[in-house]
Amino acid sequence: MTTLDQSTIQTLAVHLESAERERREVYKITNDYPNMDWDDAYAIQDAIRALKEAQGVRISGLKMGLTSMAKLRQMGVDSPIYGFITDYGSVPDGGEIPVNQLIHPKVEAEIAFVTKRPLKGPGCHIAEVLAATDFVLPAVEVIDSRYENFRFDLKSVIADNTSSARYVLGGCYRSPIGLDLKNLGVVMEKNGEVVATACGAAVLGHPAQSVAMLANMLGARGREIPAGTLILTGGVTEAIAVNAGDNINVRFQHLGSVSMRFV
Ligand code: OOG
Ligand code: MG
């Protein structure tokens, strides 16, 4: 049950969606609506999705966020959240990302999944996820909170589509069969220097657990993860701020590397 009325939800969606397009920082919405609840937050995110679809944007997948201790600690929050990613957010591996299209971008190393069967909670578990996975691939997400100083609470960031902005997928994809995703090492380099390291287990003990949690969170809202869905499972390390001139290269054990240049 939402506590905000439909017109307030719509106004807040327009506020956040236009802030993204106009690369404008805004106050976090819980300043004005301290009593908004989780359903309000996801209803605003859904309204942003509808606004974008009406503009001709295609939704290209789903994302989990705040799934590692490193991320939870960095943002000072206590639970994972989900959002969506878009066609215009996709940047080719090795590509350039103009920082003047963004507010204060940060990069995150993530393991992405593509499903071959639908997944529906409640009760979705890691074995079901692995059996329904077509392949996994390496990814870097570029997040860009629309909130001042990248500071927010969970409800504000859910409404802001979990800071979703851009993402780069690596071209080396593999079946999860025979791949030890838990121990899979990840090394992030910025301008040739190692800035963060982690392994798959940093995300909820195993990145497939993040997909199971997504199915269960969607299931609680009567939804599912359709077959053929691309899912970013969440940063394995804390997010790293980037500026024009920065080169990012992330090496994923067994999955190759993903790189991009901020200009
Ligand atoms: C929220 C989005 C977090 C992740 O991978 O943890 C996220 C944020 O930190 O701005 O995408
Ligand atoms: Mg992320």
Side-chain angles (χ1 to χ4, degrees):
M1 266 296 285
T2 52
T3 67
L4 302 176
D5 58 40
Q6 208 43 55
S7 92
T8 307
I9 288 170
Q10 196 58 28
T11 303
L12 291 171
V14 169
H15 171 68
L16 290 167
E17 203 276 333
S18 61
E20 180 198 337
R21 274 187 294 107
E22 295 160 15
R23 60 172 307 262
R24 218 169 1 91
E25 278 188 329
V26 293
Y27 292 118
K28 68 178 167 46
I29 59 175
T30 45
N31 291 1
D32 289 331
Y33 299 93
N35 299 321
M36 63 180 274
D37 67 13
W38 304 107
D39 287 339
D40 293 317
Y42 280 109
I44 296 164
Q45 184 190 113
D46 286 345
I48 290 175
R49 182 177 172 142
L51 282 171
K52 290 197 179 294
E53 286 179 314
Q55 292 161 13
V57 170
R58 201 176 70 83
I59 306 307
S60 46
L62 299 173
K63 60 168 280 190
M64 284 290 276
L66 309 173
T67 48
S68 63
M69 278 315 298
K71 281 288 308 183
L72 290 170
R73 214 178 293 123
Q74 181 180 33
M75 304 321 295
V77 292
D78 60 9
S79 69
I81 56 180
Y82 69 82
F84 62 86
I85 56 177
T86 62
D87 55 1
Y88 68 82
S90 171
V91 176
D93 189 13
E96 290 185 348
I97 302 180
V99 291
N100 67 6
Q101 295 175 359
L102 301 167
I103 303 166
H104 39 208
K106 293 184 186 179
V107 291
E108 303 179 317
E110 310 206 8
I111 295 167
F113 282 61
V114 174
T115 57
K116 61 184 173 192
R117 288 205 292 275
L119 284 166
K120 191 169 165 74
C124 182
H125 52 66
I126 179 170
E128 213 179 320
V129 171
L130 291 170
T133 298
D134 198 355
F135 55 87
V136 296
L137 70 171
V140 173
E141 185 180 25
V142 181
I143 51 170
D144 192 35
S145 176
R146 267 57 69 174
Y147 296 123
E148 283 187 313
N149 304 317
F150 231 108
R151 275 217 289 279
F152 48 67
D153 48 58
L154 279 177
K155 288 167 189 164
S156 292
V157 70
I158 290 166
D160 184 32
N161 189 25
T162 66
S163 310
S164 177
R166 303 283 186 273
Y167 55 95
V168 185
L169 300 172
C172 176
Y173 66 102
R174 289 190 51 176
S175 157
I177 297 171
L179 198 58
D180 183 0
L181 286 168
K182 194 167 172 164
N183 288 302
L184 188 136
V186 181
V187 178
M188 183 187 278
E189 294 170 355
K190 177 173 155 181
N191 303 325
E193 262 179 54
V194 174
V195 286
T197 59
C199 70
V203 166
L204 298 170
H206 190 298
Q209 186 60 44
S210 173
V211 179
M213 186 181 254
L214 174 62
N216 292 329
M217 289 169 88
L218 289 172
R221 292 170 192 281
R223 300 183 196 169
E224 62 176 29
I225 304 174
T229 302
L230 166 66
I231 301 151
L232 304 182
T233 56
V236 291
T237 72
E238 70 274 22
I240 304 290
V242 286
N243 292 297
D246 286 338
N247 280 289
I248 295 292
N249 182 45
V250 184
R251 301 167 195 274
F252 293 80
Q253 189 179 15
H254 306 304
L255 293 175
S257 63
V258 177
S259 66
M260 73 223 63
R261 197 151 55 88
F262 288 85
V263 295

